[in-house]
Amino acid sequence: FLNNGYFAGKVGIGTESPQAQLTLSTTMSTSPTTQIYLDVDGTNGVGGGSEIIFNSSASGGSLVNYNAKITGTRSSANDGSSDLSFFTTLVTSATAPAVRMTIKDNGNVGIGTTSPTTKLNVSGNIAVSSGSYLSFIDSNLNYNKIGRNTSVGGIQITTGASATMNLLDNGNVGVGTTSPSSKLEVVDQIPYGGILITGGNAPGLTI
């Protein structure tokens, strides 16, 4: 123990043999033993940084075999830009931990990819529960949304405050109606509205 509260070497709480700069260890009411590691990894260059490791003796209980990990690492050699990565271990498919989510230095988030090119980049399927919507909101808080129609089934697209188009489970498409009875049903409250077909400079045909 040195001056000003500094420790020379590794610190262990609940363990006499810390593996990282700071190791917290405890025995649960039943096996296994659990640990949390706070460690520094790499050098002062790209890829170097620090990490928090969540561990148990069931997953190996070391700095390389663990349950989950969060790392903050440098992404640029010329400045302090950094990425945040989240790792988990799925033993049924692989014993090695893998990156599940990444937050890049520019704010882009990747799930299933470590190099997202947009604000949210997902590699894999996305499931949205029935009754939930994916909304697109502008700066004036106007929104459009797409989601599952819980009353009649299928997909519903809403623009503004009302449903604009519905694609039912049976393949019927409704524009201006939530319950189309044919493959394409258009309902318009304006006389002679409906469908407008145009081609080149020819006059349009309204159905």
Side-chain angles (χ1 to χ4, degrees):
F1 184 72
L2 302 181
N3 296 329
N4 300 319
Y6 289 100
F7 286 85
K10 299 175 181 178
V11 177
I13 300 177
T15 177
E16 296 180 351
S17 55
Q19 298 188 46
Q21 297 303 108
L22 175 62
T23 300
L24 286 72
S25 181
T26 184
T27 301
M28 294 186 290
S29 57
T30 58
S31 181
T33 301
T34 59
Q35 302 94 19
I36 296 177
Y37 302 133
L38 178 60
D39 195 30
V40 177
D41 187 31
T43 59
N44 186 25
V46 176
S50 57
E51 55 192 13
I52 302 174
I53 300 174
F54 305 89
N55 211 341
S56 74
S57 57
S59 62
S62 70
L63 298 181
V64 294
N65 295 310
Y66 47 80
N67 298 108
K69 179 174 72 170
I70 302 174
T71 64
T73 55
R74 286 188 63 179
S75 58
S76 173
N78 301 318
D79 53 43
S81 299
S82 59
D83 298 337
L84 194 64
S85 300
F86 298 80
F87 296 69
T88 63
T89 301
L90 181 60
V91 178
T92 56
S93 62
T95 56
V99 182
R100 309 302 182 185
M101 184 173 73
T102 300
I103 302 177
K104 299 295 291 182
D105 50 23
N106 59 7
N108 289 351
V109 178
I111 299 177
T113 175
T114 57
S115 54
T117 56
T118 58
K119 286 302 178 183
L120 177 60
N121 196 167
V122 179
S123 178
N125 297 328
I126 300 176
V128 179
S129 60
S130 182
S132 299
Y133 290 88
L134 178 62
S135 298
F136 305 88
I137 305 174
D138 63 20
S139 58
N140 296 319
L141 299 182
N142 298 314
Y143 67 90
N144 299 324
K145 61 183 182 180
I146 180 172
R148 175 76 175 172
N149 187 326
T150 57
S151 59
V152 296
I155 299 298
Q156 184 175 83
I157 298 176
T158 300
T159 57
S162 58
T164 303
M165 186 172 72
N166 288 266
L167 172 60
L168 303 188
D169 293 333
N170 60 10
N172 289 354
V173 177
V175 178
T177 175
T178 59
S179 54
S181 57
S182 57
K183 286 302 178 184
L184 176 61
E185 182 175 343
V186 178
V187 176
D188 196 333
Q189 301 301 320
I190 302 175
Y192 309 107
I195 302 173
L196 175 63
I197 303 174
T198 63
N201 295 322
L205 172 63
T206 300
I207 301 176

